[in-house]
Amino acid sequence: MKRRTSYAPLITVLAIVAAAAAGVIIFIKSTLPGNGASSGAGESSGEAVKLPDGADEGALWQLSDTPDAVTATIATGEGDIVIKLSDTAAAAAFEAMADDYAGTEFFRLVPDMMVQTTAAAEKTAEAGETELLCLRGAVGFVVDETGVTSGLFIVTAPEKLSAVSSAYLTENGFSEEAAAAYRKTGGAPELDGKHVVFGQVVSGWGALMRIAAGETGGLSSGYLASSPVKIISVTLSNAGTSPAASDTPGTSDSSGTSDSSGTSDSSAPSD
């Protein structure tokens, strides 16, 4: 008589694995994606189109008409990232804490969505809500259960929206203007309404992509970076005098400008 094989232990193990994976997904969603959206309805589209005429190369349309804006050069071990700041309370809060970001790390790298830094000196950012979208290259403060934190996030999603993101635009009542902006630039509409956007990447996309491509522990770890890249310094300047971002690791001096050995990376974001 043949012995019956019991699958109960295997089923139990699979159930535990599934529950663990679900828990991690819920954790990431609680700290990253938001459920808020702009009012109005908009049609979805996965087509990527060019930025509007007159927009800065590599810039988001929502800040392209602010030539006198303050910029911040984030020097990292992978090169410099230059961001343009909006004229908001959140941007002012970031400026006030700029020096505190030296030594913070890009500790979470969510594929095709965003990178996130540790908080600056355990400070909580004094910043209100923002109407800026989580378009490709958007920079802002992470909001968690404690409120607005000083941890930064930068959207690294592809310029062509994924099918999931396109469906999200349709299912969550985004305005036609917001939906069109996401279709033009790409981004992570899933994060919209959750975090506080105060700026955009205008150069240094190569350095950002090298950081985003770092190894992680995968979904089970919450996409924690295996070897987090550190921020060396953050230097503020007016847009008209902002130094070009160096795409060569370790070429920034203490003033945040690149030396003669660095190379400029002013290209528009590309996949």
Side-chain angles (χ1 to χ4, degrees):
M1 179 177 179
K2 293 184 179 180
R3 177 183 295 180
R4 291 185 175 181
T5 301
S6 175
Y7 294 98
L10 177 59
I11 294 174
T12 300
V13 171
L14 291 176
I16 293 174
V17 171
V24 171
I25 292 174
I26 292 174
F27 166 74
I28 293 178
K29 285 186 175 181
S30 68
T31 56
L32 303 181
N35 295 321
S38 302
S39 61
E43 297 179 357
S44 64
S45 171
E47 295 297 322
V49 297
K50 294 181 179 180
L51 291 169
D53 292 338
D56 295 346
E57 184 178 32
L60 305 185
W61 71 274
Q62 57 190 347
L63 289 181
S64 62
D65 59 350
T66 55
D68 296 325
V70 173
T71 62
T73 300
I74 302 177
T76 79
E78 290 292 353
D80 295 350
I81 302 169
V82 178
I83 64 176
K84 179 186 288 187
L85 306 183
S86 61
D87 183 16
T88 62
F94 171 73
E95 292 179 41
M97 295 188 293
D99 291 340
D100 297 323
Y101 284 97
T104 58
E105 302 176 328
F106 289 93
F107 79 100
R108 177 173 286 132
L109 315 173
V110 183
D112 293 330
M113 180 174 282
M114 53 79 76
V115 297
Q116 181 181 344
T117 75
T118 49
E122 302 300 326
K123 291 184 178 180
T124 299
E126 295 295 332
E129 297 181 356
T130 178
E131 295 182 356
L132 299 180
L133 304 175
C134 290
L135 300 176
R136 190 170 193 240
V139 183
F141 292 127
V142 172
V143 178
D144 62 17
E145 65 278 2
T146 67
V148 182
T149 75
S150 59
L152 304 178
F153 78 99
I154 305 178
V155 178
T156 57
E159 60 183 332
K160 182 174 182 179
L161 288 180
S162 66
V164 172
S165 293
S166 293
Y168 190 89
L169 287 176
T170 301
E171 297 168 0
N172 288 273
F174 281 76
S175 67
E176 292 183 5
E177 180 183 21
Y182 277 111
R183 290 195 295 269
K184 289 177 181 178
T185 309
E190 299 91 335
L191 303 182
D192 188 80
K194 172 70 175 181
H195 305 297
V196 182
V197 178
F198 60 75
Q200 67 185 45
V201 174
V202 291
S203 63
W205 194 260
L208 178 59
M209 287 294 95
R210 284 194 291 274
I211 293 172
E215 292 186 4
T216 72
L219 177 61
S220 62
S221 74
Y223 294 110
L224 297 182
S226 300
S227 300
V229 174
K230 288 188 176 183
I231 291 178
I232 300 170
S233 65
V234 175
T235 305
L236 303 174
S237 61
N238 289 330
T241 59
S242 175
S246 169
D247 202 28
T248 302
T251 58
S252 292
D253 58 26
S254 59
S255 66
T257 58
S258 302
D259 63 21
S260 58
S261 64
T263 57
S264 175
D265 175 21
S266 58
S267 59
S270 59
D271 294 336

